[in-house]
């Protein structure tokens, strides 16, 4: 009956974790805590990278873009998720659902490309240190950032258009905590095989090309580090890349396992758990990973707080 009513008024029902009410309250507190940390951590990075001149470098320019992405990405999902967890009404409007999966896919795709751009930046910094300022000049950095954002949104427009052209059935029960594109596609009245195949190719491209760039960049970085005679130089090169590698591993590890696994191995509970990991936990950890061992950021914090002179 609930599904029929949702079909009549055009709303979708986000099932989320409502089938496990004992888990829902504790999970909502977990999500709220990490969402708050995500906002504070990423806003801090954005402000520091703007206010401190020492952070006006390509690395922190791209990191600022990543922080903006993480803020927008989690905000497109978490508020609606918390509303559904704390109330009996699990509905989201048709328009709200379309906007949510379009924005989430666009920002997630943008992050895939941006992480590859950041890997190239680290490659140039380690392998071409003397030419780094001339190669990674502000104009190129802005072009690379614009390419990341535009390719991410183009991928979202492409896949979302495919989904919107499919006729919808009466069943609007979405077995997830947000409007996930692949689940919306499966609610169609027609055979979705051809559409899902095209979307799979699009996912392979938006994931495969950046991963290839990242692996190639770090293979070159690894060779350059091995050739370094100075232990201090190797330590510095490793330090400048370790944070990015951790973020890449966390993001790509979960997202590739989730979206590129065979259909026979697909589990909805597993999908929800992995989605929590890369949509909520990863944006919280990113600012911590990049800043905890970063001396430049620590100095910037002290300067902004007035505890450092000059």
């Amino acid at each position: 009956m609930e599904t029929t009513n949702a079909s009549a008024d055009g709303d979708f029902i986000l099932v989320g974790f409502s089938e496990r009410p004992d888990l829902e309250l504790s999970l909502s507190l977990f999500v709220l805590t990490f969402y708050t940390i995500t906002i504070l951590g990423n806003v801090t990075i954005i402000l520091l990278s703007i206010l401190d001149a020492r952070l006006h470098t390509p690395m922190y320019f791209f990191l600022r873009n990543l922080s903006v992405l993480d803020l927008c990405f989690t905000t497109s999902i978490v508020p609606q998720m918390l509303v559904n967890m704390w109330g009996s009404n699990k509905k989201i409007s048709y328009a709200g659902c379309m906007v949510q999966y379009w924005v989430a896919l666009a920002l997630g795709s943008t992050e895939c490309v941006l992480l590859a751009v950041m890997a190239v930046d680290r490659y140039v910094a380690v392998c071409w240190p003397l030419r780094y300022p001339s190669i990674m000049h502000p104009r190129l950095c802005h072009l690379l950032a614009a390419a990341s954002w535009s390719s991410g949104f183009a991928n979202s427009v492409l896949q979302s258009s495919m989904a919107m052209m499919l006729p919808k059935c009466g069943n609007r029960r979405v077995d997830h905590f947000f409007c996930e594109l692949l689940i919306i596609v499966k609610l169609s009245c027609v055979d979705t095989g051809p559409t899902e195949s095209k979307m799979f190719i699009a996912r392979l491209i938006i994931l495969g090309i950046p991963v290839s760039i990242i692996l190639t960049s770090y293979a070159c970085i690894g060779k350059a580090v091995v050739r370094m005679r100075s232990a201090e130089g190797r330590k510095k090169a490793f330090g400048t890349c370790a944070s990015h590698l951790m973020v890449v591993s966390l993001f790509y590890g979960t997202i590739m396992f989730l979206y590129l696994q065979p259909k026979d191995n697909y589990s909805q509970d597993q999908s929800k758990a992995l989605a929590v990991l890369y949509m909520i936990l990863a944006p919280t950890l990113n600012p911590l990973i990049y800043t905890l061992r970063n001396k430049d950021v620590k100095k910037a914090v002290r300067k902004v707080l007035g505890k450092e002179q000059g």
Side-chain angles (χ1 to χ4, degrees):
M1 179 63 68
E2 188 178 34
T3 301
T4 304
N5 292 339
S7 302
D9 61 19
D11 291 339
F12 287 93
I13 298 172
L14 295 175
V15 174
F17 300 92
S18 59
E19 295 175 346
R20 298 183 179 180
D22 55 326
L23 174 67
E24 203 167 29
L25 178 59
S26 57
L27 183 61
S28 68
L29 295 177
F30 169 86
V31 170
L32 178 61
T33 299
F34 276 84
Y35 181 52
T36 303
I37 297 173
T38 297
I39 294 175
L40 294 175
N42 285 289
V43 168
T44 298
I45 286 181
I46 294 169
L47 292 177
L48 289 176
S49 65
I50 294 173
L51 296 175
D52 196 308
R54 286 173 296 193
L55 303 185
H56 293 176
T57 64
M59 175 182 173
Y60 291 102
F61 169 74
F62 294 127
L63 181 55
R64 183 163 69 244
N65 274 265
L66 181 63
S67 292
V68 172
L69 265 176
D70 284 341
L71 277 176
C72 296
F73 190 42
T74 52
T75 301
S76 70
I77 302 295
V78 172
Q80 179 68 49
M81 179 182 180
L82 291 175
V83 168
N84 288 355
M85 282 182 167
W86 289 338
S88 57
N89 186 356
K90 309 295 182 181
K91 295 181 181 180
I92 181 173
S93 68
Y94 177 84
C97 189
M98 300 302 104
V99 169
Q100 188 180 66
Y101 75 60
W102 182 81
V103 171
L105 179 58
L107 296 174
S109 301
T110 300
E111 186 157 344
C112 289
V113 182
L114 183 62
L115 289 174
V117 169
M118 295 174 75
V120 172
D121 172 67
R122 293 301 83 207
Y123 159 75
V124 177
V126 173
C127 299
W128 304 90
L130 298 179
R131 297 179 59 186
Y132 179 74
S134 60
I135 295 175
M136 299 302 295
H137 53 81
R139 183 180 178 185
L140 178 61
C141 292
H142 284 88
L143 286 174
L144 290 173
S148 301
W149 286 88
S150 58
S151 59
F153 276 79
N155 177 63
S156 181
V157 168
L158 175 64
Q159 293 198 54
S160 298
S161 299
M162 294 181 193
M164 293 182 72
M165 287 189 293
L166 294 171
K168 301 296 183 292
C169 294
N171 179 22
R172 300 206 177 194
R173 186 176 181 273
V174 180
D175 190 9
H176 216 304
F177 57 79
F178 78 108
C179 287
E180 205 271 344
L181 183 61
L182 296 181
I183 297 179
I184 300 300
V185 168
K186 292 180 183 297
L187 298 180
S188 175
C189 303
V190 299
D191 177 21
T192 60
T195 299
E196 290 185 64
S197 297
K198 294 175 184 176
M199 288 182 172
F200 184 77
I201 294 173
R203 292 198 300 274
L204 276 179
I205 294 173
I206 201 68
L207 287 170
I209 293 178
V211 166
S212 299
I213 293 173
I214 291 170
L215 292 177
T216 302
S217 297
Y218 276 101
C220 295
I221 289 173
K223 290 180 181 179
V225 171
V226 169
R227 293 171 185 169
M228 290 180 180
R229 297 179 180 179
S230 168
E232 184 64 26
R234 286 195 296 270
K235 182 179 178 181
K236 183 177 180 181
F238 177 77
T240 194
C241 299
S243 298
H244 183 251
L245 271 175
M246 291 175 65
V247 171
V248 166
S249 300
L250 180 61
F251 181 80
Y252 275 104
T254 53
I255 204 170
M256 290 182 73
F257 185 81
L258 181 59
Y259 290 112
L260 297 183
Q261 64 175 317
K263 291 182 180 179
D264 295 340
N265 297 336
Y266 189 84
S267 164
Q268 195 55 35
D269 288 339
Q270 184 184 70
S271 171
K272 293 177 187 179
L274 288 172
V276 169
L277 186 63
Y278 85 85
M279 287 185 171
I280 297 168
L281 189 59
T284 304
L285 295 178
N286 285 354
L288 298 177
I289 290 172
Y290 276 109
T291 59
L292 283 179
R293 297 176 60 188
N294 192 305
K295 295 179 181 179
D296 291 335
V297 173
K298 291 179 180 178
K299 289 178 181 178
V301 172
R302 288 195 294 268
K303 182 178 179 181
V304 171
L305 294 177
K307 296 183 179 179
E308 179 179 307
Q309 298 297 326

